[in-house]
Amino acid sequence: MSAGVVGAVPAAGRAEARRARTGGGRTARRTGGRGARPRFGFGLIGPRRDRHAVPMDQLDALALPMGDDGVVIGVDAESRPAVLGINRPAPYDITLIGGLWTAQVLALRAAATGARIAVETGRAQAWTALAQAAGGGQPCITLHDVGRVPPQGASAGSPVVVVRDCGMRPPRGRVVSGPWQSVVTLLPYLSPVAPRLLEKSSLVGVQRVSPDEAAQIGRIMGLQRAEWEALSTLADGVTLWCTPGDRQFVMTQATDAETGLLGAARRMD
């Protein structure tokens, strides 16, 4: 084709070409819809929906049941979860007059919340299986001889629970409670050092004890008669947890995995 033929485009054809380059292009972009046009830094505009509105008198229907933050140690008398807030930004001491089984369940569940557990014990053989099974191969539960617990470096991102399983007369520990580091002292029975520990503890747990021990604990903790009399009749796995202003009987129910590892609930070992 000659150059003269290419340049001889009719006026109508030139107008059509201009419309294709200008108005026609804009029309094509508009028909793509608002949602198809990118917004720099914000992505595509999402679908449009009517706003949801709730009358003021119906707001309570949106409430969700929220419990405390901590370790679920069992259920109360109404079968509601009982939670112990162990990991705290302030020093927190717990004394448990009870069995090894309950202390180990508490340690295992605290480890499941992300805490590191340091066990100070004179009977490491009783804790070895638990330490090996916990954490999926990670050393989240470590065992130490009595008086040999090193500094743990607790922090908000890595809280620590020190479990002291040191018999009837536990010596004063080298590692004490502090911010994000709680100390749980296990006593198998009421011992001469128990009154001092009970008075300085933020939380006290008591399992089945003799009637004489129950009466003494009742005097120290300011329990009502019905509460301390019940201490000599508690079933295995039941603990009375006491704070200065609260009392609660809790039944610790093991999961299948805990039962396979620790056995059934028991007061004596």
Side-chain angles (χ1 to χ4, degrees):
M1 183 178 294
S2 66
V5 176
V6 173
V9 179
R14 291 196 298 272
E16 185 65 27
R18 283 196 301 272
R19 283 195 299 273
R21 290 195 304 269
T22 58
R26 287 193 297 270
T27 301
R29 286 194 295 270
R30 284 196 298 269
T31 57
R34 255 185 100 188
R37 189 172 65 192
R39 301 189 307 161
F40 296 106
F42 298 97
L44 300 177
I45 297 176
R48 292 294 180 260
R49 297 286 186 270
D50 293 336
R51 294 190 176 187
H52 298 284
V54 177
M56 290 292 294
D57 58 353
Q58 296 182 14
L59 285 178
D60 289 342
L62 300 180
L64 296 176
M66 298 295 291
D68 295 330
D69 182 18
V71 177
V72 179
I73 193 57
V75 294
D76 61 15
E78 285 75 35
S79 297
R80 297 173 301 191
V83 179
L84 299 183
I86 295 180
N87 301 324
R88 296 170 178 259
Y92 199 67
D93 289 281
I94 302 172
T95 298
L96 172 62
I97 301 176
L100 178 65
W101 184 90
T102 301
Q104 290 185 330
V105 170
L106 177 59
L108 191 61
R109 295 184 182 184
T113 67
R116 291 182 288 120
I117 313 299
V119 181
E120 180 183 5
T121 181
R123 46 177 174 173
Q125 72 281 358
W127 289 86
T128 300
L130 176 64
Q132 292 175 345
Q138 299 297 321
C140 62
I141 297 182
T142 56
L143 307 183
H144 308 273
D145 292 333
V146 176
R148 296 298 183 89
V149 181
Q152 296 296 304
S155 66
S158 183
V160 174
V161 178
V162 179
V163 179
R164 306 197 69 216
D165 176 25
C166 305
M168 293 287 289
R169 296 174 178 266
R172 294 187 181 273
R174 292 176 54 190
V175 178
V176 298
S177 61
W180 303 109
Q181 179 167 291
S182 301
V183 175
V184 180
T185 301
L186 174 64
L187 297 177
Y189 295 103
L190 195 68
S191 69
V193 302
R196 172 180 60 83
L197 292 174
L198 297 184
E199 290 172 356
K200 82 181 194 69
S201 293
S202 304
L203 178 68
V204 173
V206 184
Q207 297 191 286
R208 187 173 62 248
V209 293
S210 69
D212 290 341
E213 290 174 313
Q216 187 175 351
I217 292 172
R219 289 192 297 271
I220 297 172
M221 299 302 300
L223 301 179
Q224 296 181 4
R225 184 180 184 88
E227 292 172 337
W228 64 259
E229 285 184 342
L231 294 178
S232 60
T233 63
L234 296 180
D236 291 344
V238 177
T239 307
L240 174 63
W241 292 101
C242 311
T243 67
D246 194 18
R247 313 277 188 267
Q248 190 173 67
F249 287 96
V250 174
M251 166 67 80
T252 300
Q253 298 171 321
T255 64
D256 291 341
E258 290 168 343
T259 300
L261 180 62
L262 305 175
R266 57 193 180 278
R267 172 64 175 89
M268 296 292 296
D269 293 287

